[in-house]
Amino acid sequence: MEKKFTKLYRVWHWLLAFSVLGLLITVALRKTFLSWRTNSEIIQTQLSQSGIEVTHEIAKATAKAIRSGMWEWHYIFAVILVIAIVIRIYMMLTKKAKLPIIVFLQAESRDKLKYGVYMFLCFFILMMTISGVILYYHDLLNLTKDTVGWLKDLHEDMMYGVLIFVVLHLAGVFKHELSTKEPIVSKMIHGD
Ligand code: HEM
Ligand code: HEM
């Protein structure tokens, strides 16, 4: 394998980090400030205080319309994530990187924990991408309502896997930065 912090490796890492953090932010907004459940109630209450009664359906459609501009970013970040995955596949095909599971299996025992975290992080990100793309094209793929519902639940539940391993990764990076002399974060930005 080539030197670790090459330009391509850094581009791959930051595209991956940027897109995953972006995707997590869109989900956080969807579940809080732009939640259709909360906002449809606000719409109904506010309008009714002004003497305008709207049905639950109209309030729900309005809340979803307000959310939709933000949610487009879920798909924009998804495209960036797919580009990062394609770069990683290219790196693996040209022997510039290895499959995370192989890196884990070949790692010395003192590095197993670190590479174990990367392996699970990459696994969950890949699963999110596959399930997300299938969900996005569910009409084209003629999926049944049950399958779409199952995929949605899977996509949503696996997000917690991504969250847990992102937090473990960041904790590991900061611990390394603080407890050793190697400036690992600046190496990931500027190179070796
Ligand atoms: C959601 C966000 C992030 C994801 C998904 C992510 C993902 C990854 C992955 C998969 C690796 C292992 C690469 C490999 O060797 O195959 C890695 C390494 C690394 N990441 Fe991140 N990363 C994220 C955010 C960050 C942030 C914010 C920082 C800096 C503060 C950072 C700093 C590093 C460093 C320094 C390494 C190299 C560690 C080493 O080889 O010892 N990452 N990252
Ligand atoms: C780390 C990556 C990702 C995370 C954490 C993530 C998270 C989520 C979550 C939690 C939901 C459910 C939101 C809710 O119903 O409240 C969701 C929905 C969805 N995601 Fe992702 N996602 C990721 C990647 C992707 C990718 C790569 C795509 C590909 C296009 C995608 C497409 C979708 C679609 C189509 C939905 C359903 C939207 C709807 O029902 O309105 N996601 N995502």
Side-chain angles (χ1 to χ4, degrees):
M1 205 162 56
E2 271 189 19
K3 201 166 61 165
K4 232 188 148 194
F5 295 89
T6 57
K7 195 172 256 176
L8 188 61
Y9 177 80
R10 284 176 283 134
V11 168
W12 162 74
H13 176 268
W14 291 119
L15 281 180
L16 182 74
F18 174 71
S19 57
V20 170
L21 290 177
L23 282 154
L24 289 172
I25 290 171
T26 60
V27 174
L29 287 172
R30 178 173 169 134
K31 293 201 180 288
T32 55
F33 300 112
L34 292 169
S35 150
W36 70 259
R37 282 187 184 84
T38 317
N39 288 349
S40 61
E41 276 172 28
I42 295 175
I43 290 165
Q44 263 187 316
T45 317
Q46 290 292 320
L47 288 177
S48 116
Q49 278 169 7
S50 311
I52 305 166
E53 295 301 332
V54 289
T55 61
H56 176 65
E57 272 57 46
I58 293 177
K60 182 174 153 183
T62 312
K64 283 191 172 181
I66 293 168
R67 185 193 68 190
S68 70
M70 180 286 295
W71 191 248
E72 277 303 303
W73 283 90
H74 197 74
Y75 307 128
I76 296 170
F77 285 122
V79 172
I80 301 172
L81 176 57
V82 170
I83 293 173
I85 292 175
V86 170
I87 292 178
R88 178 75 190 210
I89 293 172
Y90 165 79
M91 285 165 71
M92 291 189 304
L93 289 176
T94 54
K95 308 251 183 300
K96 290 183 171 76
K98 291 179 183 169
L99 256 184
I101 185 164
I102 295 186
V103 179
F104 170 73
L105 291 174
Q106 291 177 346
E108 289 177 29
S109 42
R110 68 188 160 95
D111 289 333
K112 284 274 187 218
L113 182 66
K114 175 171 108 174
Y115 290 115
V117 168
Y118 292 159
M119 181 181 69
F120 281 111
L121 181 56
C122 291
F123 169 77
F124 278 110
I125 293 173
L126 187 66
M127 289 298 117
M128 293 304 291
T129 310
I130 295 172
S131 55
V133 171
I134 298 177
L135 266 180
Y136 189 79
Y137 290 111
H138 72 271
D139 272 344
L140 212 73
L141 295 167
N142 255 328
L143 299 183
T144 61
K145 227 177 153 197
D146 281 352
T147 313
V148 173
W150 178 80
L151 263 177
K152 261 192 191 167
D153 289 346
L154 184 78
H155 191 72
E156 197 168 348
D157 293 344
M158 278 193 311
M159 177 190 64
Y160 295 101
V162 176
L163 262 180
I164 290 169
F165 286 98
V166 165
V167 170
L168 288 178
H169 168 45
L170 294 182
V173 167
F174 284 112
K175 183 174 170 280
H176 188 104
E177 186 74 36
L178 297 176
S179 62
T180 69
K181 286 210 162 71
E182 189 189 15
I184 198 153
V185 177
S186 26
K187 271 175 75 177
M188 189 48 108
I189 298 169
H190 303 291
D192 291 287

